[in-house]
Amino acid sequence: MPLFDLPLDELRAYRPERDEPADFTEFWTRTLSEARAFPADPVYTPYELTLPGVEVSDVRFSGWGGDRINGWFIVPRGAEGPLPCVMHYIGYSGGRGFPHDHLLWPAAGYAVFVVETRGQGAASVGSPGSTPDPHGGSGPHAPGMMTRGILDPDEYYYRRVFTDAVRAVDVAAEHPLVDAGRIVASGGSQGGGIAQAVAGLRTDLAAALIDVPFLTHFRRALEITGRDPYQEVVRYLASLRGNVERVFRTLAYFDGLNFAARGTASALYSVALMDDVCPPSTVFAAYNHWQGPKEITVYPWNQHEGGGGFQREEQVRHLAKLFPA
């Protein structure tokens, strides 16, 4: 994939106007208040894994609507805490996978809380999921998750996903091994978009690690990329042409630009300049609206894989500076 978006000097200055609904804050305050009316009721079940360096728990807790959400909680074996905790949110179509997929942060001396994305995890053999989404959203939708309930913000799929992600932080903060003042939201692609949303909805995070975030600057993404998952929305609009304004009204409540403009934690972003799944201008648009301390790592020759292992090393160094031993 060749370079297709703005030149890097223009990307660094790209800070488009945001389309934020007047009741954006009220919408999310109400949403989270409704979710917190259900007890989180976390259950940690020890998971047998013959890895002497870590202790693994299979986690269940209540997210949006009281629905049970699954995850992994992994800590260095014998840790006494309190530990920094990295919340890990997952890319599109993936599930939580296996505990051995998530050993980087325990190896660095941190806890990691892997949060499953409801309704996903059946399209990847390598990262199976186990959390259903019992709420389909009314009305026709295109195959995939992007248009489920898209005509009404209250019914939209990502309202549930973002709420689950925020509730997971509530759960992690109460764990006796976790330092509630050193919680980090992290993820790539869809996981990056979720981490970005969580960081915009909470003021108590210490950091956010946001890689090539999806669910950001929707209108530009839909106009310039021909790749899924954004193309799910394009196909929907090509068929149901009278719904354009209602669709963009809903998406405005979930646009990463509006969450980034509320982000105050220390953020480390990454962007790949040949990424035609999450175009570079959409990433820089969010980064340039971020309100807190921030850095961005640029990968000029990479596509949606971004920095891969190189970026993981950058993240380890970033948190080591924030949380010195």
Side-chain angles (χ1 to χ4, degrees):
M1 178 68 203
L3 294 172
F4 72 102
D5 208 335
L6 301 172
L8 183 56
D9 58 344
E10 294 182 26
L11 290 170
R12 292 192 184 279
Y14 184 61
R15 194 174 186 273
E17 293 293 322
R18 295 184 295 111
D19 177 19
E20 180 179 306
D23 65 340
F24 182 92
T25 298
E26 185 279 329
F27 173 83
W28 281 107
T29 299
R30 171 173 59 85
T31 294
L32 297 178
S33 178
E34 290 174 0
R36 287 173 173 140
F38 296 90
D41 190 23
V43 176
Y44 296 86
T45 303
Y47 183 86
E48 293 301 322
L49 188 66
T50 312
L51 291 176
V54 295
E55 295 178 4
V56 181
S57 294
D58 187 338
V59 187
R60 302 288 189 275
F61 68 94
S62 295
W64 187 91
D67 300 333
R68 299 298 280 176
I69 308 301
N70 304 331
W72 300 118
F73 182 75
I74 309 172
V75 296
R77 186 171 297 277
E80 298 181 357
L83 302 174
C85 182
V86 177
M87 309 297 301
H88 178 67
Y89 304 110
I90 300 166
Y92 195 74
S93 81
R96 62 178 175 165
F98 303 94
H100 60 256
D101 298 329
H102 307 288
L103 300 182
L104 172 62
W105 295 115
Y110 307 155
V112 63
F113 195 127
V114 181
V115 184
E116 195 148 71
T117 312
R118 59 169 63 220
Q120 299 187 32
S124 173
V125 174
S127 55
S130 57
T131 302
D133 179 26
H135 312 275
S138 63
H141 64 274
M145 314 306 288
M146 288 291 292
T147 63
R148 293 179 64 179
I150 200 168
L151 296 184
D152 185 341
D154 281 338
E155 294 187 6
Y156 190 45
Y157 169 72
Y158 280 101
R159 182 185 186 220
R160 302 189 290 278
V161 170
F162 290 174
T163 302
D164 296 340
V166 170
R167 289 293 278 149
V169 178
D170 293 342
V171 171
E174 296 297 323
H175 194 285
L177 289 179
V178 171
D179 182 347
R182 294 188 292 171
I183 294 179
V184 179
S186 76
S189 193
Q190 175 185 257
I194 297 171
Q196 187 171 246
V198 171
L201 291 169
R202 305 189 66 110
T203 59
D204 56 348
L205 294 182
L209 307 175
I210 301 170
D211 292 333
V212 293
F214 181 47
L215 306 168
T216 297
H217 202 3
F218 282 107
R219 188 174 289 272
R220 179 165 176 83
L222 296 175
E223 289 174 351
I224 70 171
T225 181
R227 297 285 301 278
D228 283 336
Y230 283 120
Q231 279 291 300
E232 292 176 22
V233 181
V234 172
R235 288 191 289 270
Y236 176 96
L237 293 175
S239 177
L240 300 177
R241 304 171 191 180
N243 291 338
V244 172
E245 293 308 316
R246 290 183 67 184
V247 164
F248 279 106
R249 176 184 178 274
T250 293
L251 292 177
Y253 289 91
F254 304 92
D255 195 318
L257 296 191
N258 296 329
F259 296 114
R262 290 165 166 77
T264 58
S266 175
L268 176 62
Y269 275 75
S270 72
V271 63
L273 299 191
M274 293 186 177
D275 186 351
D276 61 342
V277 176
C278 295
S281 57
T282 68
V283 178
F284 270 101
Y287 175 76
N288 290 334
H289 276 290
W290 189 269
Q291 296 299 297
K294 59 189 178 183
E295 301 175 31
I296 188 166
T297 310
V298 179
Y299 294 94
W301 303 103
N302 290 81
Q303 299 182 25
H304 193 53
E305 78 280 3
F310 295 98
Q311 186 63 14
R312 299 293 84 74
E313 290 192 354
E314 291 294 318
Q315 292 173 342
V316 170
R317 296 186 186 101
H318 185 78
L319 294 192
K321 290 187 292 184
L322 288 179
F323 310 139

